[in-house]
Every structure is written in C-alpha cells, then in structure tokens.
Amino acid sequence: MTTDRQPRATLRAVAEAAGVSTSTASLAFSGKGPVAADTVERVLAAAARLGYTGPDPLASSLRHGRSGVVGVIVEGRLLHAFRDPFAVSVLDGLSQVLDEVPAGMLLIAQHAGSPEKAIPQLAGTALDAVVFSLCGPDDNPAVDHLAARGIPMVGDGSPADERVVQLALDNRAGSAAVSRHLKDLGHHRVAHLMMPLRHDSPTGLATRTALDDAEFADSRDRALGFLDVFDDSSLMAQTSLPDVEQGAAAARLLLDRPPADRPTAVVAQSDLLAMGVVRAADELGLRVPEDLSVTGFDGVELPWFPGTLTTIDQHGEQKGRRLGELLRRLLDGERPQDELQAGDLRIGTTTAAPAQS
Amino acid sequence: MTTDRQPRATLRAVAEAAGVSTSTASLAFSGKGPVAADTVERVLAAAARLGYTGPDPLASSLRHGRSGVVGVIVEGRLLHAFRDPFAVSVLDGLSQVLDEVPAGMLLIAQHAGSPEKAIPQLAGTALDAVVFSLCGPDDNPAVDHLAARGIPMVGDGSPADERVVQLALDNRAGSAAVSRHLKDLGHHRVAHLMMPLRHDSPTGLATRTALDDAEFADSRDRALGFLDVFDDSSLMAQTSLPDVEQGAAAARLLLDRPPADRPTAVVAQSDLLAMGVVRAADELGLRVPEDLSVTGFDGVELPWFPGTLTTIDQHGEQKGRRLGELLRRLLDGERPQDELQAGDLRIGTTTAAPAQS
DNA sequence: GCGAGCGGTCGAATCGATTCGATCGAATCG
DNA sequence: CGATTCGATCGAATCGATTCGACCGCTCGC
C-alpha cells in the first residue's frame, strides 16, 4: 500500500529507461513493426521495472478513433429492463459476440417519458456504436444526436429510423399465429393482454382505439396480430409495466366476471404477463388449461413454472448474437440490410380446447 | 442519408469558421473562462453550421484523465448473473447513483474458471473505477492489474483484498438468524441448500468438508451461519448454479426420502434456490409450510409466488446505491472505510412449526 | 565492387481538446 | 493624466500513444 500519488508510468518513461525512442517502445509493445528481440526484451524489462501496465487506453483510443465501447440503450430503470428474462437473454447473446470483437457494453438507461435526458450522458461518452434494444419510443432524440456524430446504430425494430439498422421480429405475424392456434382449438371468447402502449399507460381495460396513439410499436403490432384473428369487440387490457405483477392485476379485470362472460383464453403479449394471468387464474380458482387457456410471447425460461407455456419463441440469445453480428459488420464499415425475423409458435401445456358449455 | 465519409467536425474547424482561436471556442463551449456573449453566439452558430456535436469525448477524457466509465465486473455469463433478481436490483441502485456522478456502467463478464481471460479486455478499456459485484473468486488477478493502474475498486465482500473497499453483508449472522428462527419454531431435522461453493461445483449432496476448499466466501459464510445453529450432521446439498432449476434438483435429493428421515425445513442460501425447494416440495406433494418450512436469502421480489418467503432481506437496491456512494467518494480522492451491513430477517408464509409426528 | 533491398531505429506529426500564462485594449482610480 | 486592473482573446504546451517517412548500416546479388 504505497501512497502512489506519482502519476502512472508512461510509454515515454519506459522508452527512456530502456534507452530507446518512444516509437520503438510502442512497436515493441504492439508487436507491429520489426523490432530486434533483445530490444523488445529490454523494453519489457524496463516496463516491468516501472510498473507500466501497457498503453493508456484513452490515449490509444484517441489515436485509433475507437473506444472499444458499444452503448446499449435500455428503456427506463435497469430494474425494470432486466426484470424481463427476455431482455437478459438478448443481452447475453450480444455480449458473447462483443467479447470477440472485442468491445465492452456500456449500459445507458433512457426513460421513455424524458428521452432527451440521456443525451448529455451520450454526448459525453466515447461510443463506437449503439444498440437500441428493449427500448421503446419510436422517435428518439438520441438517434439524431448519434447520427450527427456518425455513430452506427442497430435496433430491434424501434426506434423506427432508416439510420438505424433493424433486426426486427415480425410481431404481428407471431401474435396472429398464437391467436390462430387458440381459434383452431375452438376458442371464441378470447381476451388480449397488452404490454404498455405508452410510457404512461395505466393498467386497465382498453379498447382498440388505444392503439392509435401507441408509442411502442411492439405492443401495437402484437395487438394488431391478435385483431387479425379475433374481432375488435374482444376484451382487451393493458398494463403499466410488462411484469408478472401488472399482468396479474390486469388479468383479474379480464377474468373476474360471470362464467358466461368470462374469456376461455387469454393471449398475453409477453411470457411474464402470461405468468400473471396464470397467477390470477389460480387465485380465482380457474384451472389452466381446463378452464382457461393462456399464451405468452417471447419464449423465455420460466423455471419456477411447472409445465410449459404456449408462446412465440423469439430466441432471445440468438437474437442478441445476431445484433452483435450486425454491430460487428457496422464497425467494419459495412452497411448491412435490415432483417425481419419470424418467431416460432411453441405449444405448451397451457392451451387446450375450451370446456364444453 | 448523406454518405458522410468526411471526418467529423473538430473544435478547430468550428473556431476557424467562427473566426476565433480554438482556446476561445473551447471556453465558449465549456462556459468556463470569461467570453463575450456575442462571441459565444458566433461560436455556437458556427458549430451548428458545421454539425459539430460538442467536444470529442475521447480527446476530452484524455486531457482530463477521466473517462466517465465505471466497470462492473460480474461473474460468468450475463445470462446467469442477471437471472438473479438480486443482482439486478443491486445494479439498479448502483446506476441511480452513477447517473448523478455522472458515469456510465460498463459490463465486464469474468468467468470464475478462467478469471485471467478478462484482463486483456480490462487493460484495453479506460475505466475510472471498478465495482466487483456478484463476482466470486476470492483472489482475482484483475485486482493486481487494476491496482497497478491505480484504479479504485469497491467490492461486496469479495475479492477479499485490502486494495478493494468493501461493502459486505454479514452473511454468517444473517444465515444464523434465519436458522435460529426455524429452531425457535421447533425444527430439528433441518437441511441446508447451498449456492455453488466453487466455480466447478456439481449439484449434489455435500458435507461440511466441502466448505474447506470453497472459492466463494458468500456461500461458505452462509453455510457457517447455518452450522452455528444446527449441527454438522445436518443434511446439506450444493448447486452448480444458484437458480431455481438447480435449486429444485438439489432439493429433490434432500426431500425425496421417507417421512421419518425427511427434513422438516430447508434453509436455502438464496431466494431463487428457495423457490426451487418450493417447486420440488410441490412435486413431491409436500405442502409449504405445513409439511415443510422453507427459507431463502436476499429478499428479492418473487411476483409469481403466491405468498411471501421467509428470508434475509439484503435490500439490494439500497446496497447498490451504497456501492455507488463509495465509488463517488473514491473518485473524489477519499479512501472510505470498509463497511459491514446486516441483513434483516423477514418472516413470511413459508415457515411454521413442524407438524406433530 | 556497387547498388538494391531490408531489418532496425528514430523524429516528428497527429489524434482533438483543455488550460496556463501572456497580451492587449479599455475602463477605473487616485 | 498616468498607473492599475479587468475582461476578452490568443498561443503554445500538454494529455499519452501511434505511425509514416526517413535514415543507417548490412547483406545479397549481379
């Protein structure tokens, strides 16, 4: 524990100590140009003696014009963003690819209610590229800022902007597929449980008109997919947060009614919401799937859930890796095409034909 | 969509366009020195004209010697690290404080099996400070590297090193407290379910001797707390990952035995493991808490769980904020004292007196 | 034996901003 | 009216590394 108030050793100091020029010392460290073996040794020895731990990343970055950092912009508080296992698996896949680039991931939280507040932070950080993932508002002031700085961006569908390379999921088709599955099973009274449509959405019943001023395209498109199969008069609810808690609260509004009115199935816009429905059903004494079929969206692991949820699998980890690939190509100077992925319908134990009534 | 292959505008270009020196332009932007109002205006106008988005963070950082980035080192894959809601809430609290500093959080995954692999990445990134959180091995090569670079570090108990400012939880006391709660209720046959003791721990039954070569101090200390109350002959199991899945697998080994042998309670080392126990109990037809009492550790939200878990609340978000405070002081040049926090016993609906037998 | 080529090394420019000290004109004070 | 001070601006050094072109002494080939 020496009180090391002396500034860190620099390459120049090492070069001097080794009796060579800084250029040579630099070459010796990076292993680029041709340097005599014993010179390298002398430099390395001097470095060890002075406690030099390698070139200062900041100086090196400045010269190269690369910081080795990729920004990941997430919506709202980390607590909410990462509560969803889907977000986490995307991030996990992304990190696998970025590890190889190599690049680090810098987390940047941006609240949908005041997206402009993140700009000063963005402006002050050296970023090689940015991923918009799990982050909602469709027009985002950060896009303008980053575009002006010439920083490449990838997104998962939003913000919808041609300057952002998109790896989107066909939300509408996926949602329609799972809805059709229920219809094929014979369900007619089917309710829809939506993720937030806006940053200030309250949990509660909703109608089709709510879609008109949706901020989040995911939620809107999944709702449209549902409405492609079931009609506008279907019971719908939205939530303030896409978590189990709010899912259960909204599900109670959908399910707590006389049997003749009660939906025989609920199409939830995420697996977490679906878990909320299951929980609410449980509280109301409804068995899944005998009394109520439930579907989710995302395809996350739900280890605490006995059984398997019927859902649309988005393959989060794979999606994260794909985002990473796009990023890698962007960093290499390419301009990859937008991509649209399809989700896979995965039938579990939470859906069945409705009871005869 | 202009093909902007022209390099970004620099401060110098702006200064020239405005007809002032770069020094003045810099002053105009930062608002430090005294600059005439109309000069500022001219500079700002020129900046707007050239599409200058403010000083390059890299250059600015180099000059200041601050990157505005704090590294967060997490154990293993993000997927596993963030599967645990406790980790997420700590991160959330941390981010709240760092937002104000301001500083960004750079995620760095470090596998316990080969911690040295993270060093090159560390060496290449400009970090103002580092948080070791949720990251296990007690001696970590990264500490040496970072110490040599003079980068301040905070940790949550591990790695145990005097160069790392610690904000630890009294794991042993917490674990003893929750164990004592069960003893007071009248339990005698109580089993203990442990998080991984080593990065290569298999899920399976274990004995006290397994503690001797534990890598992870948290797990070891919680086990010791349990053994402060119940004796060495107690049934114990460890897991390969601290998640619900492995918790359930290990719990089956503990519970699937004749009633006379079967523990009447399980002290799990984390809430997620406890959920695994609940799930295994369910499968075996055991009611909680009538047939089996279950306790956890951490105090996370378990929205899908009907009822509340008896646990030790670590106040994750608050802990994250406290870590942030320590970091802030470290960045200000202080050298804060280590801190030891206590967890709070929170009694839920998963513990009760054992059935008369 | 002489020029081409090459391995090894170095000097200097550069990346883009910040900041200290110097300068200069104008206003203030005695 | 001369001396002092203050406000505004600028020049130059600096942060720490990377890299291009130049240079020097050898060896090899013709």
Side-chain angles (χ1 to χ4, degrees):
Chain A
M1 286 222 54
T2 54
T3 50
D4 48 286
R5 269 286 145 268
Q6 81 224 331
R8 239 187 109 215
T10 70
L11 183 59
R12 177 152 83 199
V14 172
E16 263 168 34
V20 297
S21 72
T22 58
S23 8
T24 305
S26 174
L27 263 5
F29 264 100
S30 65
K32 303 213 164 164
V35 187
D38 63 330
T39 308
V40 172
E41 217 166 307
R42 225 156 7 108
V43 171
L44 260 33
R49 194 151 13 100
L50 297 183
Y52 181 73
T53 45
D56 179 351
L58 273 177
S60 179
S61 296
L62 173 61
R63 189 70 240 263
H64 287 127
R66 280 278 166 98
S67 64
V69 173
V70 169
V72 178
I73 303 194
V74 300
E75 143 80 18
R77 277 173 58 184
L78 259 32
L79 188 60
H80 300 144
F82 293 163
R83 200 201 285 290
D84 193 333
F86 180 68
V88 174
S89 57
V90 170
L91 210 63
D92 181 56
L94 181 60
S95 81
Q96 291 172 28
V97 179
L98 291 186
D99 270 356
E100 294 166 13
V101 169
M105 293 195 311
L106 187 82
L107 255 30
I108 300 166
Q110 185 185 38
H111 187 61
S114 47
E116 70 289 350
K117 284 202 189 135
I119 305 280
Q121 196 204 334
L122 274 179
T125 25
L127 263 18
D128 291 344
V130 160
V131 187
F132 289 94
S133 180
L134 343 154
C135 85
D138 240 5
D139 58 344
N140 191 324
V143 175
D144 282 335
H145 170 83
L146 293 166
R149 282 172 66 183
I151 295 180
M153 299 170 267
V154 312
D156 66 348
S158 69
D161 191 302
E162 60 172 13
R163 292 165 296 182
V164 180
V165 176
Q166 303 289 357
L167 173 61
L169 178 83
D170 195 338
N171 282 296
R172 186 163 183 167
S175 187
V178 74
S179 302
R180 194 161 304 114
H181 163 64
L182 287 172
K183 186 163 213 166
D184 290 348
L185 283 172
H187 290 272
H188 295 105
R189 276 201 319 282
V190 178
H192 190 47
L193 177 52
M194 301 185 279
M195 303 188 292
L197 289 164
R198 305 174 46 82
H199 71 274
D200 54 1
S201 292
T203 294
L205 293 177
T207 61
R208 202 213 152 104
T209 57
L211 300 185
D212 294 338
D213 44 33
E215 272 174 3
F216 303 146
D218 289 2
S219 318
R220 186 196 55 220
D221 293 347
R222 292 183 194 174
L224 290 175
F226 170 81
L227 292 171
D228 285 342
V229 177
F230 294 106
D231 67 77
D232 280 22
S233 64
S234 301
L235 206 48
M236 314 216 296
Q238 70 174 327
T239 50
S240 59
L241 281 175
D243 64 14
V244 176
E245 201 74 60
Q246 296 306 314
R252 278 178 215 118
L253 301 176
L254 296 173
L255 298 177
D256 195 7
R257 47 187 78 219
D261 275 359
R262 190 193 300 136
T264 60
V266 176
V267 173
Q269 285 192 350
S270 85
D271 289 351
L272 248 34
L273 290 180
M275 284 296 104
V277 177
V278 169
R279 175 157 175 207
D282 200 48
E283 290 167 5
L284 293 169
L286 298 171
R287 291 162 306 161
V288 174
E290 292 83 352
D291 303 321
L292 183 74
S293 285
V294 178
T295 66
F297 204 111
D298 286 343
V300 303
E301 288 178 42
L302 303 165
W304 66 82
F305 180 62
T308 56
L309 182 66
T310 295
T311 190
I312 297 292
D313 194 345
Q314 292 206 55
H315 310 287
E317 190 182 326
Q318 184 187 313
K319 178 167 186 167
R321 279 201 299 263
R322 195 89 199 95
L323 282 170
E325 289 302 339
L326 290 175
L327 226 36
R328 192 210 294 269
R329 290 168 57 192
L330 239 11
L331 290 173
D332 285 349
E334 294 178 49
R335 210 301 181 183
Q337 293 294 306
D338 289 1
E339 299 182 14
L340 187 68
Q341 297 201 315
D344 296 331
L345 175 61
R346 216 177 55 196
I347 296 176
T349 59
T350 58
T351 45
Q356 308 295 68
S357 58
Chain B
M1 284 221 57
T2 54
T3 51
D4 47 286
R5 270 286 144 269
Q6 80 224 330
R8 239 188 108 213
T10 68
L11 184 60
R12 178 152 81 199
V14 173
E16 261 168 35
V20 298
S21 71
T22 55
S23 9
T24 305
S26 174
L27 263 6
F29 264 100
S30 63
K32 303 213 164 165
V35 185
D38 63 331
T39 308
V40 173
E41 217 166 308
R42 224 156 7 108
V43 171
L44 260 33
R49 194 150 14 100
L50 296 183
Y52 180 73
T53 46
D56 179 352
L58 273 177
S60 178
S61 296
L62 173 60
R63 189 73 240 261
H64 287 127
R66 280 278 167 97
S67 65
V69 173
V70 169
V72 178
I73 302 193
V74 300
E75 142 81 17
R77 278 175 58 187
L78 259 32
L79 188 59
H80 299 145
F82 294 163
R83 201 201 283 291
D84 192 331
F86 180 67
V88 173
S89 58
V90 171
L91 210 64
D92 181 58
L94 182 60
S95 81
Q96 291 172 28
V97 179
L98 291 186
D99 270 356
E100 295 166 11
V101 169
M105 291 195 312
L106 186 83
L107 255 29
I108 300 166
Q110 185 186 39
H111 186 61
S114 47
E116 70 289 350
K117 284 202 190 136
I119 305 280
Q121 197 204 335
L122 274 179
T125 24
L127 262 20
D128 290 345
V130 160
V131 188
F132 289 94
S133 182
L134 343 153
C135 84
D138 240 6
D139 57 343
N140 192 324
V143 174
D144 282 335
H145 171 84
L146 294 167
R149 281 173 65 185
I151 295 180
M153 298 170 267
V154 310
D156 65 349
S158 69
D161 191 301
E162 60 172 12
R163 293 166 296 182
V164 180
V165 176
Q166 303 291 356
L167 174 61
L169 179 82
D170 195 336
N171 282 296
R172 185 163 184 167
S175 188
V178 73
S179 302
R180 195 161 304 115
H181 164 64
L182 287 172
K183 185 163 213 167
D184 291 347
L185 283 172
H187 290 272
H188 296 105
R189 278 202 316 285
V190 178
H192 190 48
L193 178 51
M194 300 185 282
M195 304 188 291
L197 289 164
R198 304 174 48 82
H199 71 274
D200 54 2
S201 293
T203 294
L205 294 176
T207 60
R208 202 212 152 104
T209 58
L211 300 184
D212 294 338
D213 45 32
E215 274 174 3
F216 302 146
D218 288 2
S219 318
R220 186 196 54 219
D221 294 346
R222 291 181 195 176
L224 290 175
F226 171 79
L227 291 172
D228 286 342
V229 176
F230 294 106
D231 69 77
D232 280 21
S233 65
S234 302
L235 205 51
M236 315 216 293
Q238 70 174 327
T239 50
S240 59
L241 280 175
D243 64 14
V244 176
E245 202 73 61
Q246 296 306 314
R252 280 179 212 114
L253 301 176
L254 296 173
L255 299 178
D256 195 6
R257 46 187 79 220
D261 275 358
R262 189 193 301 134
T264 59
V266 176
V267 173
Q269 285 192 350
S270 85
D271 289 350
L272 248 35
L273 290 180
M275 284 297 104
V277 177
V278 168
R279 174 153 175 208
D282 201 46
E283 290 167 7
L284 293 169
L286 300 171
R287 293 162 304 161
V288 174
E290 292 83 352
D291 303 320
L292 183 75
S293 285
V294 178
T295 66
F297 204 111
D298 286 343
V300 304
E301 287 178 42
L302 303 165
W304 65 82
F305 179 62
T308 56
L309 181 64
T310 296
T311 192
I312 297 292
D313 193 344
Q314 292 204 54
H315 310 288
E317 189 182 326
Q318 184 187 313
K319 178 168 187 167
R321 279 201 299 262
R322 195 88 198 97
L323 282 171
E325 289 302 339
L326 290 176
L327 225 39
R328 191 211 295 267
R329 288 168 56 191
L330 238 12
L331 290 173
D332 286 350
E334 296 178 48
R335 210 300 179 184
Q337 293 293 307
D338 289 1
E339 300 182 13
L340 187 68
Q341 297 200 314
D344 296 331
L345 175 62
R346 216 178 55 195
I347 296 177
T349 59
T350 58
T351 46
Q356 307 297 69
S357 57

